[in-house]
Amino acid sequence: MTSTSADKGLAVEGGRPALEGLPPFPSWPQHSEADAQALLGVLESGKWGSTHGEIVSTFESEFAAAHGAKYGVALTNGTLAIAAALRAAGVGVGDEVIVPPYTFIATASAALFVGAVPTFADVEPDTHLIDPASVERAITPRTKAIIAVHLAGSVANLDALNHIAETRGLTLIEDAAQATGAAWRGRPVGAIGHLGTFSFQSSKNITAGEGGIVLTDDERLASAVYSLVNVGRVRGGGWYEHASVGYNLRLTEFQGALLRGQLSRLPEQQKVRDENAKLLTQLLADVDGVEVDREPAEMTAHGRHLFMFRVPELGKAGLRDAAAKALNAEGVVGASGGYVPLHRNEALLAESTALAERLGQPYPQADCPVSDLVCTDTIWFPQTIMLGSTEQIHAVADAITKVVGSGAALKTAN
């Protein structure tokens, strides 16, 4: 077929979309008849809460085993999973918790929930992951914990971060909300640090609409998380035996049933995501101006929650958001400019500064130039794109090539 000028022009300007004629990308969440039967089974059992059933506890064991962890405690969401992990580790009022600024706000706000002050360490420009050298510079006498975010499914440098935590007497928490199934040196993430947290929110690669889990190999920490999730109870204790003050963060058996089905399908889905991500990376290798995130050599499995790349020239021209809009018009639904830098979020800064002032301590000023930069030129795709067909992935590469090479047209479209 002979291409025309309309074929080559941007879809936002009336050109032919790169993915025109192809089916839509898979919808998410996905479910099966087995899920429906599992939910019906819970309904008919009358055991809807996890204190009376065994489905959530079974899922906890299965998920922990899949990630090479000894203990897993499921709870309401990934945000409170981080808060529970911090509290279990003894982080509290006046302590400082080091987090990256290129992450979802929950990573930082969870520290505030337990009375701690979130402080920021910069990220690496070619991975978007927390930079261990910046972590070292951010440590103060009040630092109690480091949260390593395994962004997009890639794995932060756990060798370096574990070394820092060990030598400085800090707790290392893995925020693996986007990294279910990822691995470092052959070991799944989640219990490589002292604790690991996961999210089962609607967009995640395993979802029950909402939910989360905390993993650890430390029995004491696991018991502390369990007590926090279960209003201060201890395993095997009485119903009105509250050994500590805890929250009520339990999952329902309905959520546990959905999560067990999701977990069973994960290996097959991850294989598709992984193959497609590698194909797209290969197709973009020679596209001028596109810098796909580096994958650390020690990372032996990628969680494939997002596909991330930078386009520095479009960032310099202030056209990143226009490019994301143009990619959506080409049929790459869900293309986004991603996060804004948390170290410049007014709500976080105001609350963190006010807390520090009440405690009579200075609030450390963040120096995160890399995060400032990548927030201007990063584009990412959701995991549903990676569940598409080989033909769709080729078309996505064509769309990126078209959009990245259309700077002047983007200015017009913008």
Side-chain angles (χ1 to χ4, degrees):
M1 180 183 293
T2 303
S3 62
T4 66
S5 58
D7 292 331
K8 298 178 180 178
L10 291 177
V12 289
E13 290 197 316
R16 182 174 181 268
L19 280 86
E20 185 175 271
L22 295 177
F25 288 101
S27 61
W28 193 261
Q30 296 179 357
H31 66 275
S32 68
E33 178 59 29
D35 294 323
Q37 291 303 313
L39 289 172
L40 183 60
V42 174
L43 183 69
E44 293 177 340
S45 74
K47 298 178 180 179
W48 296 1
S50 57
T51 53
H52 296 92
E54 297 180 353
I55 296 175
V56 169
S57 61
T58 300
F59 169 74
E60 290 171 334
S61 298
E62 291 172 343
F63 190 90
H67 287 79
K70 291 181 180 178
Y71 307 101
V73 182
L75 69 173
T76 52
N77 56 62
T79 303
L80 292 177
I82 300 173
L86 288 167
R87 273 201 62 186
V91 177
V93 177
D95 294 327
E96 291 178 358
V97 177
I98 296 175
V99 303
Y102 196 82
T103 181
F104 186 56
I105 192 171
T107 309
S109 60
L112 289 167
F113 294 162
V114 301
V117 178
T119 63
F120 296 100
D122 211 354
V123 299
E124 300 168 336
D126 56 351
T127 67
H128 293 79
L129 300 170
I130 194 167
D131 182 352
S134 185
V135 170
E136 284 273 20
R137 293 191 295 271
I139 295 172
T140 76
R142 291 177 293 275
T143 303
K144 194 72 173 284
I146 304 164
I147 300 181
V149 178
H150 300 322
L151 189 72
S154 190
V155 183
N157 188 338
L158 290 174
D159 291 353
L161 294 170
N162 262 319
H163 177 73
I164 293 169
E166 181 178 349
T167 57
R168 303 298 288 269
L170 305 175
T171 296
L172 178 62
I173 295 173
E174 300 175 64
D175 179 350
Q178 298 180 356
T180 299
W184 183 262
R185 295 189 184 276
R187 182 177 179 184
V189 300
I192 300 176
H194 295 93
L195 301 117
T197 66
F198 295 77
S199 169
F200 305 131
Q201 174 266 350
S202 294
S203 71
K204 300 302 189 293
N205 295 22
I206 287 181
T207 180
E210 286 291 354
I213 195 169
V214 180
L215 301 184
T216 184
D217 278 347
D218 187 310
E219 184 178 10
R220 179 187 62 83
L221 291 174
S223 296
V225 174
Y226 177 89
S227 188
L228 286 164
V229 170
N230 289 279
V231 291
R233 296 189 180 102
V234 296
R235 292 187 188 276
W239 185 253
Y240 292 114
E241 180 184 348
H242 306 284
S244 63
V245 176
Y247 309 109
N248 183 346
L249 305 177
R250 294 185 298 268
L251 283 186
T252 69
E253 292 286 272
F254 293 103
Q255 290 168 293
L258 284 174
L259 289 168
R260 291 195 69 201
Q262 293 268 309
L263 183 61
S264 71
R265 291 190 292 273
L266 180 68
E268 180 181 348
Q269 292 169 339
Q270 286 295 82
K271 184 174 184 293
V272 174
R273 293 186 186 101
D274 193 56
E275 290 174 351
N276 280 334
K278 289 175 178 175
L279 173 60
L280 184 54
T281 298
Q282 178 184 343
L283 294 172
L284 296 176
D286 297 324
V287 179
D288 289 340
V290 174
E291 300 177 3
V292 177
D293 270 13
R294 172 179 63 85
E295 297 187 5
E298 301 87 350
M299 181 180 65
T300 47
H302 194 300
R304 302 298 181 196
H305 180 63
L306 300 171
F307 185 91
M308 299 181 66
F309 60 95
R310 295 178 59 198
V311 191
E313 290 305 313
L314 291 183
K316 292 175 185 176
L319 294 174
R320 188 275 312 273
D321 291 344
K325 179 180 178 182
L327 284 166
N328 276 275
E330 297 294 338
V332 190
V333 179
S336 166
Y339 295 130
V340 296
L342 288 185
H343 66 294
R344 300 194 181 280
N345 179 280
E346 292 184 3
L348 276 177
L349 287 177
E351 189 153 346
S352 299
T353 302
L355 174 58
E357 288 177 350
R358 287 196 300 272
L359 296 167
Q361 60 195 51
Y363 181 63
Q365 296 300 307
D367 180 25
C368 300
V370 176
S371 292
D372 283 327
L373 179 61
V374 299
C375 283
T376 69
D377 62 18
T378 295
I379 294 175
W380 73 35
F381 303 149
Q383 51 98 358
T384 48
I385 301 297
M386 297 300 101
L387 287 174
S389 66
T390 298
E391 185 180 12
Q392 286 173 312
I393 297 302
H394 278 271
V396 168
D398 291 342
I400 295 170
T401 303
K402 183 201 293 191
V403 168
V404 170
S406 302
L410 283 173
K411 288 182 181 180
T412 302
N414 196 33

